[in-house]
Amino acid sequence: MSRLQVVSGKGGTGKTTVAAALALALATEGKRTLLVEVEGRQGIAQLFETEALPYEERKIAVAPGGGEVYALAIDPELALLDYLQMFYKLGGAGRALKKLGAIDFATTIAPGLRDVLLTGKACEAVRRKDKNGRFAYDYVVMDAPPTGRITRFLNVNDEVAGLAKIGPIHNQAQAVMRVLKSPETAVHMVTLLEEMPVQETADGIAELRTAKLPVGRIIVNMVRPAVLDQADLELARAVSRTAVADALSDAGLSGARRGGLAERLVDPLLQQADEYAERFALEREQRGALTELGLPLHELPLLAEGMDLAGLYELATELRQQGIS
């Protein structure tokens, strides 16, 4: 597995949930994972039922086997102060710039700079080593922007390196791109078995490939359980109202053959079967479209009880069982 795992997806597909579950899955058996948030929504804190994340790496969970998951919500302003201190040793002058609003002004008028800082901080965590020469984290998982913005977000350092021909900014941008365009990185796409998310996933993958960014896996989220198979669906299409009414009567529902009960029960049952058959066909079509993209495909179930911390661990277990860790 690549050491930097970037997770993107159309809004509403649950990419933050998948990123969190992936971080837990990768932290199995004593591994250390850093889960990075770059959009400022504090979605990770909500999932792990903890207080809002500060701009520091904080342990938020223990994975099966004793592994640890740390989290970091990257603040662009504070990341810029880190950058200024690292390359220009500004110290107190940098803090003074923040008080004057210069840092916020810089990241606002130059949105590309914001993305450089966000990706740069994540890549620094990937490269960081302890005093014994070991990597500080076995994996870094980034909850990245959605598919419509992911390629530009990851590729912004190429643009910056081209604008700044020399100096620390140029060198930093090149160092980040060496990580992002190497086998150390994999960009995963989260989708649903619905037409729009699948099409956006296909478009996003095409853009990543054009930009020569390393595409990883497709993770289909919130997959509903299969209630009927193809044979059952064909039977449901062929059955008559009378046969359904007779079956209900044989099951002990008196009066199901005629009168009000038949209208209230038989027709809704047949309508539900038709709706399920339509959804089954649509999901099969979308699954086929995803398969044609030629990437490893994983599916995570829709959790009937909703998403909580226990559900997050359940999804992590599912990912491990599917060989993603």
Side-chain angles (χ1 to χ4, degrees), residues 123 127 157 161 169-180:
C123 289
R127 298 191 303 260
N157 289 277
I169 294 177
H170 174 83
N171 295 336
Q172 169 71 0
Q174 282 198 322
V176 170
M177 289 314 301
R178 279 196 295 270
V179 174
L180 293 179

Side-chain angles (χ1 to χ4, degrees), residues 147-184:
T147 46
R149 206 166 76 80
I150 185 62
T151 301
R152 181 171 179 80
F153 172 77
L154 294 176
N155 217 32
V156 68
N157 289 277
D158 253 359
E159 299 177 16
V160 171
L163 292 173
K165 300 296 185 181
I166 59 173
I169 294 177
H170 174 83
N171 295 336
Q172 169 71 0
Q174 282 198 322
V176 170
M177 289 314 301
R178 279 196 295 270
V179 174
L180 293 179
K181 290 194 173 184
S182 77
E184 281 192 285

